[in-house]
Amino acid sequence: MELKPHYHEAKYYETDQMGIIHHSNYIRWMEEARIDFFSQIGISYKKMEEMGIISPVLEVKCKYERMVRFGDVVAISIKVEKYTGVKLILSYEMVNTSDNTVCTKAESSHCFLNRDNKLISLKKEYPEIHKLLAK
């Protein structure tokens, strides 16, 4: 299954005093793209939460290669780097669509918890979701 990039148009309020997008906003964009990713593979993040599954962020890494400015549109592509049933590592590539340059490369790692905040294995407890991520 080929995933479509998630597109984000940089907002004015996301800029800093220098007129470029503040670094903290890229993390928000990653979350937008991650929610879109889950929908594209066949399970909405909202549905997972309704099922009692939450997926907290364990770690985020970002490498800012080029500036993004107000009005730029960024295409965010996601790839599953590693998935064990318990832990998920996603990589992100953010490309400025105006000139097709990579502006940011990032990675986030997540685990899966139940409503009691106990670690769960999707492979064992939710095999239908596990199959969607294990592709």
Side-chain angles (χ1 to χ4, degrees), residues 26-51:
Y26 294 85
I27 307 304
R28 291 184 177 108
W29 299 356
M30 290 164 61
E31 184 173 286
E32 288 176 15
R34 189 167 56 254
I35 289 169
D36 183 52
F37 162 80
F38 275 100
S39 291
Q40 286 191 55
I41 66 167
I43 180 82
S44 74
Y45 202 83
K46 182 175 174 57
K47 177 69 175 166
M48 285 177 44
E49 287 188 340
E50 289 170 355
M51 295 169 70

Side-chain angles (χ1 to χ4, degrees), residues 6 12 16 22-23 25 46-47 52 69 74 78 81 96 103 109 131 133-134:
H6 174 76
Y12 182 76
D16 61 15
H22 189 270
H23 66 274
N25 289 295
K46 182 175 174 57
K47 177 69 175 166
R69 298 182 185 281
V74 176
I78 291 186
E81 290 297 328
N96 191 323
C103 51
S109 59
K131 287 178 187 174
L133 289 166

Side-chain angles (χ1 to χ4, degrees), residues 26 30 61-66 91-94 102-107:
Y26 294 85
M30 290 164 61
K61 299 175 187 174
C62 267
K63 183 177 180 187
Y64 306 101
E65 297 188 356
R66 300 237 194 279
S91 63
Y92 307 77
E93 183 177 77
M94 300 181 199
V102 175
C103 51
T104 307
K105 291 183 180 179
E107 189 175 276

Side-chain angles (χ1 to χ4, degrees), residues 65-112:
E65 297 188 356
R66 300 237 194 279
M67 291 182 265
V68 176
R69 298 182 185 281
F70 165 61
D72 288 349
V73 175
V74 176
I76 306 166
S77 299
I78 291 186
K79 185 170 102 179
V80 174
E81 290 297 328
K82 184 176 181 182
Y83 171 67
T84 66
V86 175
K87 188 174 182 181
L88 173 66
I89 299 175
L90 298 171
S91 63
Y92 307 77
E93 183 177 77
M94 300 181 199
V95 174
N96 191 323
T97 61
S98 67
D99 59 7
N100 288 322
T101 58
V102 175
C103 51
T104 307
K105 291 183 180 179
E107 189 175 276
S108 64
S109 59
H110 309 263
C111 65
F112 299 95

